[in-house]
Amino acid sequence: FVGGFSWDSIGDYFGPNIRRLKELGLDAEFLPTDPLGRSEDNGKKIAAYAKKQKKRLVFIGHSKGGNDIMRGLLDDKKAQENVLAVVPIQSPLFGTAAAEWARQHPWMYATAMVYSRLINPMRIFSTNPFFRYPTVEELSQGLGFTGRPPVRERIRFYPVVSRVSADTAVKLLMLISAGAVKAISGRDNDGIVSPEDGVIPGHPFAFLEHVGHIDTVSDPTSWKYHALGVRGHDPSFAADLSEAIVRWIFERKPAQG
């Protein structure tokens, strides 16, 4: 599992996902990356990890984490040899209007970053400096490919995208964020990323209705749930999603014709 932008601000990030897969008897672990770093730099760490493994890997990346995984594989062809599948969850593979807007409004970006640090005060000084415009610029542009990414044919991709709307049971902050992104881009979104920017041409994808950007990696079990605006799913939603993804990958019948 690879985390997204400012992943260290969220309590128990990917915790329920990893615990469920371990309960199923699978090897699952979180690969820490720079929560505010560029995909190029994080991609090198991911590629180095992949090349050291003897088992076939399934990479699951949330938000920018999906971009980091893709960047690592695109930049280092040898790292692709051990990879079976990649699951970008709500990843801005083609960029996100939220990042473009942040570039154009520095004061809003600064406010958002301070907010993300204060949610988890222990991380305030852990990533210095935390105003990294190259990362935001990169997120606004995406990975730069216009069609199917140039990787080994046997690597399968399973993007997961979602959206929220006015009738979605999310907290106010998530609805405000989703409304702002839609006002900028004209597209529905999960609060950060539009579904159109998270799919890969030529590959299957899963579309989740009424699911916010943080719902997929964290359970609503702490005050961070209220602060972040995570939807009120049952506590097992993130874990159930991970199990569903694994079954999607390994139990899916080959396409006919």
Side-chain angles (χ1 to χ4, degrees), residues 154-253:
R154 62 182 176 80
I155 296 180
R156 292 177 285 162
F157 296 94
Y158 297 87
V160 177
V161 297
S162 70
R163 69 178 178 185
V164 297
S165 57
D167 60 345
T168 300
V170 297
K171 291 295 180 179
L172 180 61
L173 282 175
M174 182 61 71
L175 281 179
I176 291 174
S177 176
V181 173
K182 184 169 183 177
I184 299 166
S185 65
R187 295 177 173 179
D188 290 327
N189 60 88
D190 60 16
I192 302 292
V193 179
S194 299
E196 297 91 333
D197 292 325
V199 299
I200 301 176
H203 291 271
F205 65 91
F207 176 78
L208 307 179
E209 188 72 83
H210 305 312
V211 175
H213 197 70
I214 312 297
D215 293 347
T216 54
V217 296
S218 177
D219 286 338
T221 56
S222 72
W223 66 272
K224 296 183 181 68
Y225 152 61
H226 300 284
L228 285 165
V230 184
R231 180 176 185 263
H233 285 296
D234 293 336
S236 62
F237 177 79
D240 287 347
L241 176 63
S242 291
E243 180 174 345
I245 288 172
V246 170
R247 295 189 184 282
W248 182 24
I249 294 173
F250 293 104
E251 297 180 4
R252 188 172 68 92
K253 295 180 180 180

Side-chain angles (χ1 to χ4, degrees), residues 44-109:
K44 292 178 181 178
K45 181 173 184 178
I46 294 168
Y49 174 87
K51 289 187 288 187
K52 290 179 181 179
Q53 304 308 306
K54 296 182 179 180
K55 294 182 179 181
R56 300 288 296 281
L57 299 171
V58 172
F59 275 117
I60 300 177
H62 173 245
S63 194
K64 179 179 172 294
N67 289 37
D68 292 349
I69 294 167
M70 295 290 290
R71 184 80 275 156
L73 297 182
L74 292 172
D75 290 346
D76 192 332
K77 302 298 189 232
K78 193 170 182 61
Q80 299 179 17
E81 295 179 1
N82 291 334
V83 178
L84 173 67
V86 176
V87 183
I89 301 177
Q90 301 162 306
S91 296
L93 302 176
F94 292 91
T96 169
E100 180 61 34
W101 193 67
R103 288 177 59 198
Q104 299 173 7
H105 301 80
W107 66 274
M108 280 300 297
Y109 173 61

